[in-house]
Amino acid sequence: MPPKLCTLLLVLGGVWTSGCVTSSPAHAVRLNQIQVIGTHNSYHLRAHSSLRALLASRDPEAVQGLDYSHPPLADQLSRLGIRQIELDCFADPAGGLYANPKGVGWAASAGLPPVPNYDPDGKLRRPGFKVMHVPDIDYLSTVLTLADGLKQVMEWSQHGPNHVPVFILLELKEDAESPELTQPIHFGEKELAALEAEILSVIPRQRILAPDDVRRGERSLPEALRKYGWPSLDSVRGKIMFGMDNESAVRDLYLHGHPALENRLLFVSVPATNAAAAWMKMNDPVHDFDQIQELVKARFLVRTRADAETQQSRRNDPTQRDRALASGAQFVSTDYPEPNLSFSSYCVRFEHGVVARINPVSGNRSWQDLELDNPRKSR
């Protein structure tokens, strides 16, 4: 293929053929042609020993599934090279709903060692979205509020704005694990509007890669992906993306009146034929391996999980991890970006400390040695 024609194809549509190898500079790489590692429940800290004892008395296996802690978000981004994080959000418009965890009293009544206060500044008493796993019992978090978490990401980003986009997955929690726990507030239109307002209060719109930026005026996101593809990686460096983890009524409410996510900030996981389809959540890369690969080949972004709970890690079993990485899912999420050597050497990372790599399904193999993510490197 003539070099000029090859370059033209790269620019117009991302036609990646072996004939284009010599004309494939780093700026030809598109967002969907990379793969990064993320963390599941990125804020999570192991519950206090007294709270774990309470949980163990009811469900010993569940306690094992919660036996992990993540470092602060900035440390994950800088030291571990994480580029996808997950935050569980609870609406708390008046403030104080989660300020007095019931587990503290339950532990005292059971004669267990006292559980210390982990909110000395009273952030949980203020209005705004809170971040935790399960109220009252598994609530320890490196990020007490959504605003705090977003500020940590933005401060890190501003010190190295050449990074590949960071994808923030938000799970909007509105169901209680059991009736005796504090009951979450339902997400209605008012709460969804407040969520977007809180995001924009921390991250300027121009720093967000939103659905409208991908749709580019087309009637649907799938049409835009077929016509234009995803933006080039270089054009979206330093951006933040948001996705909604929910696939229930709250997702449908978010789409109501915005069928192709017009004027919305979050991508949502929907079937490939939906007008809002651009990113999908496929958490089982073993069972759904072929489907993930087909979605990636069709230019969609996919998030999958390299592990679930801690039992797999305790067995030091890499099967799901290896399938996740080979599937081509652009975001591979784990509880273990570094090993917990107290019980296993299992972890999920790329070789040689690479932060982002060329996607094994949608990328060109001849690009695999390109440096894709160096936050402090000049453009």
Side-chain angles (χ1 to χ4, degrees):
M1 181 179 295
K4 288 185 179 180
L5 178 56
C6 176
T7 301
L8 180 62
L9 287 173
L10 286 171
V11 172
L12 291 179
V15 181
W16 320 113
T17 69
S18 58
C20 296
V21 170
T22 58
S23 300
S24 299
H27 66 252
V29 180
R30 293 176 181 255
L31 181 59
N32 64 307
Q33 294 181 299
I34 68 172
Q35 187 176 62
V36 299
I37 293 172
T39 48
H40 167 246
N41 290 346
S42 309
Y43 58 87
H44 190 265
L45 290 173
R46 185 178 294 103
H48 185 271
S49 58
S50 294
L51 298 176
R52 294 205 308 274
L54 288 175
L55 283 170
S57 66
R58 289 191 169 195
D59 191 344
E61 198 168 301
V63 176
Q64 281 195 0
L66 302 173
D67 188 20
Y68 64 96
S69 290
H70 286 304
L73 298 182
D75 192 27
Q76 293 184 46
L77 293 165
S78 58
R79 181 175 62 85
L80 300 178
I82 295 303
R83 293 295 181 266
Q84 180 253 302
I85 62 176
E86 179 184 346
L87 303 175
D88 291 345
C89 298
F90 291 80
D92 188 14
L97 182 61
Y98 304 103
N100 298 296
K102 295 178 180 179
V104 174
W106 295 336
S109 298
L112 296 168
V115 180
N117 175 22
Y118 86 116
D119 181 26
D121 298 326
K123 292 183 178 182
L124 295 178
R125 298 190 180 281
R126 302 168 195 162
F129 294 90
K130 307 305 188 296
V131 176
M132 69 191 81
H133 189 231
V134 180
D136 300 318
I137 197 77
D138 187 39
Y139 55 84
L140 290 186
S141 172
T142 62
V143 176
L144 296 182
T145 69
L146 174 61
D148 278 353
L150 298 180
K151 288 175 184 175
Q152 288 184 28
V153 174
M154 273 301 294
E155 288 172 3
W156 168 82
S157 178
Q158 288 168 342
H159 282 89
N162 199 49
H163 61 82
V164 303
V166 173
F167 184 59
I168 301 179
L169 184 60
L170 302 178
E171 182 173 357
L172 311 185
K173 293 286 191 80
E174 53 181 3
D175 297 318
E177 297 288 332
S178 63
E180 68 266 31
L181 298 176
T182 299
Q183 302 298 298
I185 291 174
H186 176 72
F187 274 83
E189 292 184 0
K190 182 178 178 181
E191 288 72 26
L192 290 173
L195 178 73
E196 290 199 333
E198 189 155 312
I199 291 172
L200 291 172
S201 73
V202 178
I203 303 180
R205 172 62 180 87
Q206 63 268 25
R207 292 293 300 274
I208 298 174
L209 179 60
D212 281 344
D213 303 325
V214 177
R215 194 167 52 82
R216 297 173 64 175
E218 297 298 322
R219 291 183 301 174
S220 74
L221 281 163
E223 287 181 44
L225 292 178
R226 285 190 293 269
K227 186 172 182 178
Y228 305 110
W230 286 89
S232 70
L233 179 59
D234 279 355
S235 72
V236 293
R237 289 187 181 278
K239 298 274 189 177
I240 312 295
M241 297 177 63
F242 290 90
M244 182 186 294
D245 187 80
N246 307 63
E247 296 177 300
S248 57
V250 67
R251 177 203 61 187
D252 296 340
L253 179 61
Y254 191 71
L255 284 169
H256 182 68
H258 309 264
L261 291 173
E262 302 92 333
N263 301 313
R264 290 301 205 186
L265 296 183
L266 281 65
F267 291 89
V268 298
S269 183
V270 289
T273 54
N274 192 290
W279 160 81
M280 284 87 168
K281 182 181 71 171
M282 303 287 291
N283 283 342
D284 188 345
V286 176
H287 181 269
D288 297 324
F289 184 85
D290 292 338
Q291 187 176 356
I292 292 173
Q293 288 209 325
E294 288 305 311
L295 289 170
V296 172
K297 290 174 183 176
R299 297 186 174 180
F300 294 107
L301 298 184
V302 178
R303 179 263 195 175
T304 196
R305 290 186 64 178
D307 41 76
E309 314 304 344
T310 62
Q311 288 82 352
Q312 175 181 308
S313 174
R314 288 179 182 275
R315 295 194 304 269
N316 204 25
D317 180 3
T319 302
Q320 183 171 331
R321 176 195 66 189
D322 294 348
R323 294 295 276 175
L325 293 171
S327 72
Q330 289 86 356
F331 308 106
V332 178
S333 181
T334 179
D335 287 332
Y336 297 96
E338 50 190 349
N340 184 333
L341 294 177
S342 66
F343 56 74
S344 175
S345 62
Y346 171 89
C347 69
V348 182
R349 60 172 60 142
F350 296 135
E351 293 182 356
H352 311 301
V354 169
V355 172
R357 72 175 187 176
I358 290 296
N359 193 289
V361 173
S362 59
N364 189 316
R365 293 182 181 180
S366 69
W367 301 347
Q368 60 188 348
D369 293 328
L370 292 175
E371 182 180 52
L372 300 177
D373 190 291
N374 187 341
R376 290 170 177 77
K377 182 179 178 181
S378 298
R379 294 194 185 188

